[in-house]
Amino acid sequence: MNKLIIFFTILLSSNFTSNRVEKLIQKEVKSVFNIEAYSIESIHVSEEINANLPVKITESNFVQVRVDKNLKGHYYVGKAFGKVDYFDFLVIFNEDLIVAKVKILVYREEHGGEIGSKRWLKQFIGKPSSKKLKYFEDIVGISGATLSAKALTHEVNRVLKTVSELHSKKII
């Protein structure tokens, strides 16, 4: 009986987290593009191309944002590893594949949550997909969240490189 209760508790909490994260993504997309309604379309990448990308593209982690068939931009949802656990993040690109926003969606550690600061995350905005960011040069460090800040910078770099490669192959 206790195992059943634990199973349903985990199932319900993961659905709650998924719904909460999805609502947060929708809020950010609407805010960045200043829109009320939009649709998303998956990016289809062949297995051959996907095998050579820094970030593997799935039907749900990288999508196009459209309003009435007009492309507004793209977004990527990923995970990075901090000191002891993963955290979820969002990168929104405008139609020119320039970073419009980076947002921490779920941070699971007791320390390092400072990387969720809007002020710190602003430094990613305006970076083109062709750019390789250097921690402590392009991205200022943050006291108390060094490992998480380095991890996020590393993962955003992987996303930027992936987006750049997809663009050069005319997939996006």
Side-chain angles (χ1 to χ4, degrees):
M1 182 70 168
N2 285 343
K3 289 180 182 178
L4 189 60
I5 292 171
I6 291 170
F7 172 76
F8 280 112
T9 302
I10 291 170
L11 182 65
L12 289 173
S13 67
S14 67
N15 282 341
F16 175 74
T17 301
S18 297
N19 289 338
R20 188 173 59 88
V21 167
E22 187 57 39
K23 286 180 182 179
L24 187 53
I25 291 169
Q26 289 174 8
K27 176 185 167 205
E28 295 301 327
V29 168
K30 288 176 180 180
S31 172
V32 165
F33 296 117
N34 195 23
I35 54 178
E36 284 301 314
Y38 65 93
S39 62
I40 58 171
E41 291 182 23
S42 297
I43 306 293
H44 300 286
V45 179
S46 72
E47 288 181 30
E48 179 183 338
I49 291 173
N50 217 358
N52 295 311
L53 293 174
V55 171
K56 304 306 172 225
I57 301 302
T58 67
E59 287 184 11
S60 60
N61 70 351
F62 186 63
V63 298
Q64 295 178 339
V65 176
R66 295 191 173 271
V67 175
D68 300 327
K69 298 192 184 217
N70 296 318
L71 179 68
K72 288 293 189 178
H74 299 81
Y75 71 77
Y76 171 81
V77 179
K79 291 186 180 293
F81 193 78
K83 186 174 184 179
V84 296
D85 204 350
Y86 285 93
F87 58 91
D88 302 339
F89 67 95
L90 170 71
V91 181
I92 301 175
F93 295 90
N94 67 18
E95 63 186 295
D96 297 321
L97 303 175
I98 295 173
V99 176
K101 181 140 195 183
V102 174
K103 174 88 174 169
I104 303 301
L105 298 170
V106 179
Y107 194 80
R108 297 173 182 88
E109 296 189 45
E110 290 182 26
H111 301 289
E114 296 88 351
I115 65 163
S117 156
K118 289 180 187 179
R119 184 173 173 205
W120 186 79
L121 291 169
K122 275 185 183 180
Q123 59 192 322
F124 290 96
I125 296 173
K127 304 297 189 223
S129 59
S130 59
K131 176 89 170 142
K132 180 170 179 15
L133 305 173
K134 294 181 182 141
Y135 189 69
F136 275 129
E137 285 183 31
D138 302 304
I139 303 299
V140 176
I142 188 165
S143 180
T146 304
L147 294 176
S148 296
K150 284 181 179 178
L152 181 62
T153 303
H154 175 73
E155 289 302 316
V156 169
N157 270 328
R158 292 179 65 221
V159 173
L160 292 174
K161 185 162 178 49
T162 298
V163 167
S164 182
E165 288 183 28
L166 291 174
H167 182 66
S168 72
K169 294 180 185 324
K170 302 196 183 321
I171 295 172
I172 57 173

